[in-house]
Structures are given as structure tokens and as C-alpha cells.
Amino acid sequence: MGESSIPHTKTVKLADVARAAGVSQGTVSNVFNRPGLVSEQLRERVEEAARSLGYRGPDPRGRLLRAGRVNAIGVVTVGPLNCFFDDQYTRLFLSGVAKACEARGAGISLVSAVDDEIAAWNIRTALVDGFILNCLNEGNTLVELAKKRGLPFVAVDFPVGPGFDVVRIDDYRGAREAAQHLVDLGHRHFAVFTFETEKEVRVGFVDDDRAERASFEVVRRRLSGYRDVFRAAGLPPQPVFETGSEYDGVCAGVDAVLAANPDTTAFVCASDRVALHVIAYLRSLGRKVPDDFSVVGFDCIEEAASSNPPLTTIYQPAIGKGEAAVELILGDKPDGVGGRVVELPIELVRGATAAVPRKR
């Protein structure tokens, strides 16, 4: 087919519709944006002209860009988009974001950063007023990409250096409270289970060097809190096992820990999801919680309270984190103020999965 035979489609503009309908451009604009200002007869004439030309209305992107505000926030995760919905803690966090955005009439754009190439494209092209960077490892390229966009961003649960806004909890103190509770009950033989220390899960025991080099600030601080409590109690180093967040990894961890130390009486878990998997697997082995083993989690997701027995855990305000992050982006920011840090409270929730260890 020759070049001359290739059809060229002309972009229909608002002015074309105005000419076809015999009205002003302002009248066409009102038909699509403020139809109540136009009579029904005139509105039908303009709509018929638009249909005949294939005009679907003004491009909202142009209007938003001219206004200098999109009225939407991008929420970024380092995993695939399904992680927003598969993990209950993340769902609670996103619920807080949604609640705060709805109160301001703003929308949400979910942004995946599953690899650097996808991240670069999504950050550069997202039509948003700012980004919430959720649980990223330090030095992540997303931080640099967000800076280059020149849009405000909030880091959740990881440090980004001076001058940038952060929402966080004191993970170190939360971990200490969880471990201290078990020590106070009389436990002396522990297993610490953590979700991934790097972007990719490496199921297995974690030595001190690997724990201290973990890419995720949350993991480093929680493991440090557990370790310091054990040291202060005069205990030797307790085993740390990277299970990831899935059931199979947790099962492997329980088997490995009990094979290495049958005297283990308590599992300290860096998330409720891991803790609930531990309880489920122990039950499948015919072991009872807390009669045979104590288990403590972290997060206080809804499943923790509804589990049988209710999980002993550390409460953190996941919904409040989302709300605080939105407020930092869309709320009023005093001139010259940068590097705001919002630290939300935590609390030990005494469920029914931790008890005095039974003599063996």
C-alpha cells in the first residue's frame, strides 16, 4: 500500500464542534463541563454535532495540567500491584490513604515498582500531585526518580535523609516490647522469624552480618530490638530465620528451628502474617499455643484479633500511617518547612498466645 493511501485522522477539537453546531466555543465547553447552564435544545444540538464528528469531550489531562494540580496521589510499592490487596497490613494502610484522599476529594493511583525499568516509567509518567513511597529499601532508585519529578513525596518506614517528609513508627521499641514480654514470662529459648531482608526472599537462617546489612530499615530495626533484649537478659544469641511471608517458608523455619533446638519455647515474629502461619503449622503438628509454644507477632492486623486464640502482638496504626502520609502531601505546608517526621504510637496488645513456658 502506498504512502498516499494511508488514511490520516484529524484530531477533532472543541472549535470544530462549535463551528458545526453554530455556537461559540464557550457554549460547547459548558455543554461538557457545566451542562446545567445550557438549554436542553441547545445542548442536544451541540451533542449531535460532537457525535457526528467523533468528539468525546475535552481531554481532562490538558485541563489538569493547565490547572497545575491533578488532585491525585500515587502510592508506590516495590512489589507487583497485587501486594496492595494480598497483604492485610498493606490493605489497612491503603484504606487510610483512601479515607484521607476521599475527605479531600482526591484520587489514588497505584504504582508498581517491581523492577527499575518499570519504576522509572511509572514515576515519570504518573499523573499525580505527589507520591507515597511505601516500605522501600534505603537508596532505592524510586527516591531519586521522585526527586527528579519535582513533586512532593513521603517515605513510609524508611529514611531518606534530611529535608524530606517521613511517616514511621519506632520499630526498634516495638520489637523490644514484644521480646521483653516473653522474657518477663520466663522464656529463655527463642526463635526469631522475619519476612524478607532483601527484595528477594532467601529462606534460611540469618547471621548477624546479614541482619545488619538488610536492605529494609524495618527489618534491621526490629531484629536489633529483639537482639538487644536477649543480650540484656544475659541470653546467648538466639536464632533468626528468614521465612518470608508465605506459609511454606514459615513451615521450613519451624522445622529447622525445632531440629536445631528442641528446647525452643517461643517464636518472636516480625509480622502478624508470619505469626499466624506459625500457629497454623504448629497446630498441624499437634502442638498447642500457648500450652506448648508462645507466639508473638507485630502489626495488629484484623486477623490477629479474630484468630483462635487471639494473637499477642504489637499494634501499629496502619490506617493512621496512610492518613498521615496524605496530609503531608495535600495539606498546608508552611514556607521553608521540610523534613517533617510523623512518628505514630505503638502498643503491646496482650492476646492469648503468650504464656509462662511449661517445664519439659
Side-chain angles (χ1 to χ4, degrees):
M1 181 181 290
E3 183 178 333
S4 61
S5 64
I6 299 175
H8 295 277
T9 303
K10 177 185 175 182
T11 301
V12 180
K13 299 180 179 179
L14 184 143
D16 299 324
V17 177
R19 280 192 297 271
V23 299
S24 69
Q25 294 185 43
T27 298
V28 177
S29 177
N30 283 338
V31 167
F32 284 97
N33 298 310
R34 294 174 294 277
L37 299 179
V38 184
S39 69
E40 183 179 353
Q41 183 180 12
L42 189 56
R43 186 167 66 248
E44 289 177 353
R45 193 168 92 206
V46 171
E47 290 173 346
E48 175 59 31
R51 280 194 296 272
S52 67
L53 293 172
Y55 181 70
R56 298 182 178 180
D59 186 344
R61 293 173 296 181
R63 184 169 66 251
L64 292 170
L65 292 174
R66 287 191 297 273
R69 190 174 181 87
V70 180
N71 209 26
I73 286 179
V75 185
V76 185
T77 175
V78 291
L81 288 177
N82 63 281
C83 80
F84 282 113
F85 310 99
D86 291 347
D87 180 72
Q88 190 174 121
Y89 164 78
T90 306
R91 291 201 304 270
L92 289 171
F93 171 77
L94 193 59
S95 174
V97 173
K99 182 179 178 182
C101 282
E102 186 174 35
R104 290 181 170 274
I108 302 173
S109 177
L110 303 183
V111 181
S112 171
V114 71
D115 63 43
D116 288 345
E117 184 176 354
I118 292 175
W121 171 257
N122 286 341
I123 294 292
R124 284 199 303 265
T125 61
L127 285 173
V128 296
D129 296 313
F131 294 101
I132 296 174
L133 308 181
N134 183 33
C135 276
L136 305 179
N137 48 318
E138 283 186 81
N140 196 286
T141 55
L142 295 185
V143 174
E144 295 305 318
L145 291 168
K147 290 178 183 177
K148 288 179 181 178
R149 273 295 301 270
L151 295 174
F153 69 89
V154 176
V156 179
D157 289 330
F158 73 103
V160 289
F164 298 100
D165 295 336
V166 175
V167 175
R168 70 187 186 194
I169 61 168
D170 190 338
D171 287 284
Y172 174 80
R173 185 169 71 84
R176 285 189 60 95
E177 289 191 18
Q180 189 64 56
H181 179 58
L182 290 169
V183 168
D184 291 344
L185 287 171
H187 291 276
R188 295 297 180 265
H189 298 279
F190 297 85
V192 176
F193 280 4
T194 181
F195 44 86
E196 53 267 36
T197 59
E198 305 288 342
K199 196 170 182 178
E200 298 295 329
V201 178
R202 295 167 54 196
V203 174
F205 285 102
V206 178
D207 59 24
D208 288 346
D209 181 61
R210 182 171 156 196
E212 291 171 1
R213 290 186 295 103
S215 293
F216 293 98
E217 169 81 357
V218 168
V219 173
R220 286 203 310 275
R221 289 186 60 80
R222 291 184 190 180
L223 293 183
S224 179
Y226 300 141
R227 184 173 57 242
D228 286 354
V229 167
F230 299 147
R231 184 184 296 120
L235 302 177
Q238 303 295 300
V240 177
F241 197 96
E242 180 175 334
T243 62
S245 297
E246 302 303 323
Y247 183 71
D248 289 348
V250 172
C251 295
V254 172
D255 289 340
V257 164
L258 296 184
N261 183 11
D263 293 331
T264 300
T265 61
F267 292 88
V268 189
C269 303
S271 77
D272 286 352
R273 184 172 176 178
V274 170
L276 293 172
H277 285 330
V278 169
I279 294 171
Y281 184 56
L282 289 173
R283 184 177 293 126
S284 76
L285 299 177
R287 314 300 287 272
K288 296 180 179 180
V289 174
D291 295 349
D292 299 318
F293 297 96
S294 288
V295 179
V296 173
F298 202 120
D299 288 334
C300 202
I301 61 177
E302 292 174 357
E303 291 176 1
S306 62
S307 66
N308 184 22
L311 183 65
T312 297
T313 186
I314 299 296
Y315 165 79
Q316 65 160 316
I319 293 176
K321 277 185 180 180
E323 292 174 329
V326 171
E327 184 62 29
L328 288 175
I329 293 177
L330 297 182
D332 295 331
K333 183 174 182 179
D335 293 337
V337 175
R340 295 169 295 177
V341 176
V342 176
E343 184 169 295
L344 299 176
I346 58 171
E347 179 184 357
L348 174 67
V349 177
R350 290 175 170 84
T353 59
V356 173
R358 187 170 63 181
K359 293 183 179 180
R360 299 181 179 178

